[in-house]
């Protein structure tokens, strides 16, 4: 087909859809404005330009173009989107947790007016200040390479939602060689007992972390809370994981009643860890929180910091074998993701700290703000 042009329109019944060239995230980025029957702006589909509480990243074409794209994003926001009017509904392409923005808010619905008032990236005094603050290099998930290729070449057509096979414990074990076992239960359930070698990644974290921890060239076998696991399959499919070979029917209960051995990862509450430190003991702590969390919540003295998304790339920076490695985040969910990955890579003395800094009460190891 022919590429869309700025200002091109389509009629949808009594409504009209208009293409808006909104460069910034990419030079050719387009948004689409839906007008009501009276021709007034009603809904704008902003794609990867304006998000709830954030703007689309401008660094994905490389450091040499980020300032140029940030300038284009400033022009897009102030000349094309904000003038549409405060009452216009904004429908972005991504929500909270997407790596296409650095800090997308949890607002499910938003408007131009809400973003004008609440979006911190719309409050910079000048174009130069905007460029300085927005033109930053962010992390680039490994799965972006596949997404870019599919965007250019087209993704494979599946025809329908994949339906993975329900597997008995014996069948599941027989297919596990060459596959990755993905366990989407909570950190507490996974820590208590899991299929040996499984990767922990709770259901709500699939969109944010699957691309950092799961390969595309190996089939996936799922362990969850029930059967079918349609929500898990749908979430994986949306980020390109369509080779789900099956799931453990009946979950870990089936695994145990079949006499299969399971593995576990120890968990400690944050209060127990603080008491242990205050008793004069030293602990090896791996903190997998983000830089922003460290800045706003404080640092644990002596802890090694490797963000959860960087763990697979920085294994050489993570101590192994000398003493128990305690993994810390804001709750225990991301800690278990990282710990299970390390366990798959040979770390055999691990513990996950449950709870965040709200429970950190150590007197000998106070949080550094």
């Amino acid at each position: 087909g022919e590429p869309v042009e700025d200002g091109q329109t389509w009629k949808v019944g009594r409504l009209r859809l208009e293409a808006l060239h909104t460069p910034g995230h990419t030079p050719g980025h387009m948004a689409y404005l839906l007008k009501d029957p009276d021709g007034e702006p009603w809904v704008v589909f902003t794609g990867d330009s304006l998000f709830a509480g954030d703007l689309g990243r401008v660094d994905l074409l490389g450091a040499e173009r980020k300032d140029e794209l940030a300038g284009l994003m400033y022009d897009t926001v102030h000349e094309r989107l904000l003038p549409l009017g405060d009452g216009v509904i904004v429908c972005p392409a991504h929500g909270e947790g997407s790596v296409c923005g650095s800090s997308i808010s949890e607002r499910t619905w938003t408007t131009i007016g809400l973003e004008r008032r609440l979006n911190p990236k719309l409050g910079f005094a000048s174009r130069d200040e905007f460029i300085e603050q927005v033109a930053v290099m962010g992390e680039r998930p490994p799965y972006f390479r596949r997404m870019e290729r599919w965007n250019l070449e087209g993704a494979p057509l599946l025809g329908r939602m994949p339906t993975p096979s329900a597997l008995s414990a014996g069948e599941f074990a027989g297919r596990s060689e060459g596959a990755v076992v993905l366990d989407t239960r909570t950190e507490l359930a996974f820590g208590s007992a899991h299929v040996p070698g499984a990767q922990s990644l709770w259901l709500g974290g699939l969109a944010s972390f699957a691309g950092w921890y799961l390969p595309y060239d190996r089939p996936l076998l799922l362990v969850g809370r029930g059967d079918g696991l349609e929500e898990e399959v749908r979430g994986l499919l949306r980020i390109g994981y369509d080779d789900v070979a099956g799931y453990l029917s009946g979950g870990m209960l089936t695994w145990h009643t079949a006499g299969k051995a399971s593995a576990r990862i120890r968990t400690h509450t944050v209060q127990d860890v603080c008491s242990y430190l205050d008793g004069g003991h030293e602990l090896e702590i791996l903190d997998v929180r983000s830089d922003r969390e460290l800045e706003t919540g404080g640092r644990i003295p002596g802890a090694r910091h490797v963000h959860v998304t960087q763990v697979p790339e920085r294994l050489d920076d993570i101590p192994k074998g000398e003493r128990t490695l305690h993994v810390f985040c804001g709750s225990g969910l991301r800690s278990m993701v990282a710990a299970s990955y390390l366990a798959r890579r040979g770390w055999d003395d691990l513990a996950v700290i449950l709870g965040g800094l709200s429970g950190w009460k150590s007197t000998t190891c106070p949080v550094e703000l």
Side-chain angles (χ1 to χ4, degrees):
E2 297 296 322
V4 172
E5 297 181 1
D6 182 45
Q8 187 172 345
T9 61
W10 302 265
K11 289 193 69 175
V12 185
R14 297 178 61 210
L15 308 177
R16 187 175 295 274
L17 192 66
E18 178 181 342
L20 298 177
H21 184 213
T22 50
H25 181 65
T26 62
H29 187 277
M30 304 294 286
Y32 295 90
L33 176 64
L34 184 66
K35 295 183 176 180
D36 69 15
D38 295 323
E40 295 297 321
W42 180 18
V43 181
V44 60
F45 300 91
T46 54
D48 279 19
S49 54
L50 178 62
F51 297 129
D54 202 359
L55 297 173
R57 289 173 58 172
V58 299
D59 63 305
L60 296 182
L61 296 187
E64 65 278 2
R65 298 198 64 181
K66 61 182 176 60
D67 288 359
E68 170 201 351
L69 292 173
L72 292 173
M73 181 68 81
Y74 180 90
D75 298 337
T76 281
V77 169
H78 291 88
E79 297 175 9
R80 309 233 67 183
L81 297 178
L82 293 183
L84 294 175
D86 286 356
V88 172
I89 298 168
V90 175
C91 294
H94 304 286
E96 189 227 358
S98 170
V99 293
C100 289
S102 59
S103 54
I104 301 176
S105 299
E106 295 183 52
R107 290 192 293 279
T108 304
W109 300 101
T110 192
T111 65
I112 293 291
L114 281 172
E115 293 314 303
R116 191 193 303 274
R117 182 162 60 91
L118 300 175
N119 193 320
K121 291 185 177 175
L122 303 187
F124 297 115
S126 67
R127 192 175 191 270
D128 289 342
E129 183 184 1
F130 178 93
I131 292 173
E132 180 182 354
Q133 296 297 321
V134 171
V136 296
M137 296 300 295
E139 293 182 319
R140 188 179 179 87
Y143 73 86
F144 270 24
R145 291 189 292 272
R146 171 166 288 219
M147 298 298 104
E148 289 166 352
R149 178 163 56 84
W150 281 359
N151 284 339
L152 291 172
E153 301 173 1
L157 298 178
L158 298 178
R160 61 179 178 81
M161 185 79 168
T163 305
S165 302
L167 303 176
S168 67
E171 292 170 329
F172 192 93
R175 296 194 188 184
S176 61
E177 185 174 352
V180 174
V181 176
L182 173 63
D183 192 318
T184 61
R185 296 174 300 149
T186 66
E187 79 286 11
L188 285 173
F190 183 90
S192 297
H194 56 265
V195 174
Q199 172 65 53
S200 172
L201 214 174
W202 81 104
L203 177 58
L206 284 180
S208 298
F209 301 112
W212 300 95
Y213 282 88
L214 302 178
Y216 279 100
D217 58 355
R218 296 170 62 186
L220 300 178
L221 292 172
L222 303 184
V223 179
R225 291 183 299 173
D227 282 354
L229 306 182
E230 292 182 4
E231 191 172 355
E232 287 89 337
V233 173
R234 184 178 296 109
L236 290 166
L237 183 64
R238 286 172 175 167
I239 50 177
Y241 293 98
D242 50 33
D243 188 6
V244 180
Y247 66 90
L248 181 59
S249 180
M252 288 303 295
L253 177 62
T254 296
W255 187 260
H256 289 140
T257 55
K260 301 293 185 183
S262 62
R264 65 182 299 267
I265 293 177
R266 286 174 291 159
T267 58
H268 300 303
T269 66
V270 66
Q271 293 83 2
D272 287 342
V273 170
C274 289
S275 297
Y276 196 74
L277 290 168
D278 290 342
H281 303 281
E282 293 185 1
L283 292 180
E284 188 78 69
I285 298 176
L286 174 67
D287 190 334
V288 299
R289 292 177 297 153
S290 67
D291 289 337
R292 177 172 298 181
E293 289 174 286
L294 296 177
E295 293 168 3
T296 59
R299 296 174 178 267
I300 300 172
R304 295 172 184 261
H305 175 238
V306 178
H307 187 222
V308 63
T309 61
Q310 299 172 351
V311 167
E313 302 297 325
R314 294 181 55 188
L315 294 178
D316 290 342
D317 297 331
I318 300 174
K320 179 180 183 180
E322 296 180 4
R323 49 184 176 171
T324 303
L325 181 65
H326 294 75
V327 191
F328 179 86
C329 67
S331 63
L333 286 166
R334 289 171 295 169
S335 299
M336 193 62 78
V337 174
S340 65
Y341 185 85
L342 293 174
R344 292 168 56 200
R345 295 299 185 276
W347 273 256
D348 57 7
D349 194 358
L350 294 160
V352 163
I353 302 174
L354 302 174
L357 286 177
S358 59
W360 193 273
K361 307 295 183 186
S362 173
T363 56
T364 61
C365 187
V367 170
E368 297 174 345
L369 296 174

